[in-house]
Amino acid sequence: MSQAAKSERLMNLVICLLVARGYVPKSRIREVVGGYGDQTDEAFERMFERDKEELREVGIPIETGGFDPLGDEEPGYRILRHEFELPEIRLEPDEAAVVGLAARVWQHTYLSEASSNAVLKLQAVGVEADTRSLGAVEPRVGGEEPAFWPLWEAVRDRRPVAFQHRKSSTAEPLLRHVQPWSVLSWHGRWYVVGFDTGREAARMFRMSRIVGDVRPDGAAGGYEVPAPETVREAAASLAPPERSPVLHAVVRVRHGSGHGLRRRATFVATDATTGWDEVTVPYTSNQALAEELVSHGADVVADQPVELRDAVVERLRAILAVPA
């Protein structure tokens, strides 16, 4: 089976369990998630168990249970959104980080379409779906992160890696030897958190500042990953201090888009005639918010303040200047 097919199946499983309003029985999961239905009973059981464990290993919590007090119904599975997202870790005001595979995989068009189909299939077999939960795995338009897949695989396999990393855009890259624990995403930026063996401490690295290839630096299964709570605490402790003062931006957001912006908005004015909403968003840095707005592509337009709009225009011009 190809890596793409497996990634699509994992993505569909996440979407299925995240948007369902209750527990989804295994029999329903087999009908809804592509890749399961054409398996024998025994092969499906093995594949489903492996997929659950792989998602749990990268921090996606799958809960087992049911609502039948007599226990007569088939037990089911679900992912609670508030557990799927990390709590506030002060990396950006009022924004939670998302742990794991889901959001990054959805950037691929064919997976986005397949995931939408999974929601339709859930509804078709009578499982009530809350599509608002899709905001937790919102697709973004952004540059590819070449380091993502090698680091994702390293987290999955518990394999140490080495890479060159810049502390800032102007700094010289330094060689890092890391035991990756998890990948984190917020505002369209991707990070890896893990144990830096050279510094003998937990560290977090922004993937866009990794220079060159991520290469294996040891055998698979070469270390133990701390409990999810420990990984969360490490991410919080490594976060930069909050910036101040808090400013407010006015942006236009296309209907059905910009869920991350809407979640932390202080005011939303809906205009059904234009297909756009006017969203007021608190922020602390023109540069950081501009980078986030650009990641939404044509679905978000910066209106105010002028400094923010100029920062967005500057980034868009820089993207157009990059040779194809």
Side-chain angles (χ1 to χ4, degrees), residues 9 14 68 110 133 158 168 182 186 214 226 235 274 283 299:
R9 189 179 70 249
V14 170
D68 181 7
Y110 73 94
S133 295
R158 291 186 291 119
S168 67
S182 187
W186 65 96
V214 175
T274 64
Y283 72 106
D299 290 329

Short mmCIF file of all heavy atoms in Angstrom, two decimals, residues 9 14 68 110 133 158 168 182 186 214 226 235 274 283 299:
data_model
loop_
_atom_site.label_atom_id
_atom_site.label_comp_id
_atom_site.label_asym_id
_atom_site.label_seq_id
_atom_site.Cartn_x
_atom_site.Cartn_y
_atom_site.Cartn_z
N ARG A 9 -6.31 7.36 4.23
CA ARG A 9 -7.15 6.58 5.15
C ARG A 9 -7.09 7.15 6.57
O ARG A 9 -8.12 7.30 7.24
CB ARG A 9 -6.68 5.12 5.15
CG ARG A 9 -7.63 4.20 5.91
CD ARG A 9 -7.17 2.77 5.89
NE ARG A 9 -5.96 2.54 6.67
CZ ARG A 9 -4.78 2.25 6.18
NH1 ARG A 9 -4.61 2.13 4.86
NH2 ARG A 9 -3.73 2.05 6.97
N VAL A 14 -9.63 10.34 10.98
CA VAL A 14 -9.65 11.50 11.88
C VAL A 14 -10.91 12.33 11.66
O VAL A 14 -11.61 12.70 12.61
CB VAL A 14 -8.39 12.36 11.68
CG1 VAL A 14 -8.53 13.69 12.43
CG2 VAL A 14 -7.16 11.63 12.19
N ASP A 68 -25.30 4.10 25.43
CA ASP A 68 -26.35 3.17 25.83
C ASP A 68 -26.10 2.73 27.28
O ASP A 68 -25.12 2.05 27.56
CB ASP A 68 -26.35 1.95 24.91
CG ASP A 68 -27.44 0.95 25.27
OD1 ASP A 68 -28.27 1.28 26.15
OD2 ASP A 68 -27.46 -0.14 24.68
N TYR A 110 -6.38 16.24 -3.23
CA TYR A 110 -7.11 14.97 -3.33
C TYR A 110 -7.54 14.47 -1.97
O TYR A 110 -8.56 13.81 -1.82
CB TYR A 110 -6.26 13.91 -4.04
CG TYR A 110 -5.11 13.37 -3.25
CD1 TYR A 110 -5.24 12.20 -2.51
CD2 TYR A 110 -3.87 14.02 -3.25
CE1 TYR A 110 -4.17 11.68 -1.79
CE2 TYR A 110 -2.81 13.51 -2.53
CZ TYR A 110 -2.96 12.34 -1.81
OH TYR A 110 -1.91 11.85 -1.10
N SER A 133 -16.57 21.24 13.42
CA SER A 133 -15.33 20.68 13.95
C SER A 133 -14.24 20.59 12.90
O SER A 133 -13.07 20.40 13.25
CB SER A 133 -15.60 19.27 14.52
OG SER A 133 -16.46 19.34 15.63
N ARG A 158 9.95 6.71 15.92
CA ARG A 158 10.86 7.00 17.05
C ARG A 158 12.32 6.87 16.60
O ARG A 158 13.13 6.20 17.21
CB ARG A 158 10.55 6.09 18.24
CG ARG A 158 9.22 6.38 18.90
CD ARG A 158 8.98 5.58 20.15
NE ARG A 158 8.80 4.17 19.86
CZ ARG A 158 9.57 3.21 20.32
NH1 ARG A 158 10.60 3.50 21.09
NH2 ARG A 158 9.32 1.95 20.02
N SER A 168 16.89 32.34 13.50
CA SER A 168 16.11 33.39 12.87
C SER A 168 16.46 33.40 11.40
O SER A 168 17.32 32.65 10.93
CB SER A 168 16.44 34.76 13.50
OG SER A 168 17.77 35.13 13.19
N SER A 182 6.86 15.09 18.66
CA SER A 182 5.58 15.40 18.01
C SER A 182 5.77 16.58 17.08
O SER A 182 6.77 17.30 17.14
CB SER A 182 4.51 15.73 19.05
OG SER A 182 3.24 15.87 18.44
N TRP A 186 0.30 25.84 14.08
CA TRP A 186 -0.64 26.93 14.32
C TRP A 186 -0.28 28.07 13.37
O TRP A 186 0.87 28.25 12.98
CB TRP A 186 -0.63 27.40 15.79
CG TRP A 186 0.64 28.01 16.26
CD1 TRP A 186 0.96 29.34 16.31
CD2 TRP A 186 1.78 27.31 16.77
NE1 TRP A 186 2.23 29.50 16.81
CE2 TRP A 186 2.75 28.27 17.10
CE3 TRP A 186 2.07 25.95 16.97
CZ2 TRP A 186 4.00 27.93 17.62
CZ3 TRP A 186 3.30 25.62 17.49
CH2 TRP A 186 4.25 26.60 17.82
N VAL A 214 16.52 16.65 6.25
CA VAL A 214 16.45 16.01 7.57
C VAL A 214 16.92 14.57 7.36
O VAL A 214 16.32 13.83 6.58
CB VAL A 214 15.01 16.03 8.12
CG1 VAL A 214 14.94 15.26 9.44
CG2 VAL A 214 14.52 17.46 8.30
N PRO A 226 7.91 10.85 25.72
CA PRO A 226 7.19 11.13 26.97
C PRO A 226 5.68 11.10 26.78
O PRO A 226 5.18 11.10 25.65
CB PRO A 226 7.66 12.55 27.34
CG PRO A 226 8.92 12.76 26.57
CD PRO A 226 8.78 11.96 25.31
N ALA A 235 6.10 22.08 25.23
CA ALA A 235 5.77 23.10 24.24
C ALA A 235 5.45 24.42 24.92
O ALA A 235 5.88 25.49 24.48
CB ALA A 235 4.60 22.64 23.39
N THR A 274 -22.86 39.52 -0.16
CA THR A 274 -21.55 39.57 -0.80
C THR A 274 -20.77 38.26 -0.69
O THR A 274 -19.81 38.04 -1.42
CB THR A 274 -20.68 40.68 -0.18
OG1 THR A 274 -20.43 40.36 1.20
CG2 THR A 274 -21.39 42.02 -0.27
N TYR A 283 -4.61 40.91 17.79
CA TYR A 283 -3.29 40.43 17.40
C TYR A 283 -2.22 41.30 18.05
O TYR A 283 -2.53 42.35 18.64
CB TYR A 283 -3.13 40.43 15.87
CG TYR A 283 -3.00 41.81 15.25
CD1 TYR A 283 -1.77 42.27 14.78
CD2 TYR A 283 -4.10 42.65 15.13
CE1 TYR A 283 -1.64 43.52 14.22
CE2 TYR A 283 -3.98 43.90 14.56
CZ TYR A 283 -2.75 44.35 14.10
OH TYR A 283 -2.63 45.58 13.55
N ASP A 299 -9.13 33.67 0.26
CA ASP A 299 -10.31 33.62 1.14
C ASP A 299 -10.31 34.70 2.21
O ASP A 299 -11.30 34.85 2.93
CB ASP A 299 -10.40 32.25 1.81
CG ASP A 299 -10.78 31.16 0.83
OD1 ASP A 299 -11.50 31.46 -0.12
OD2 ASP A 299 -10.33 30.01 1.02
#
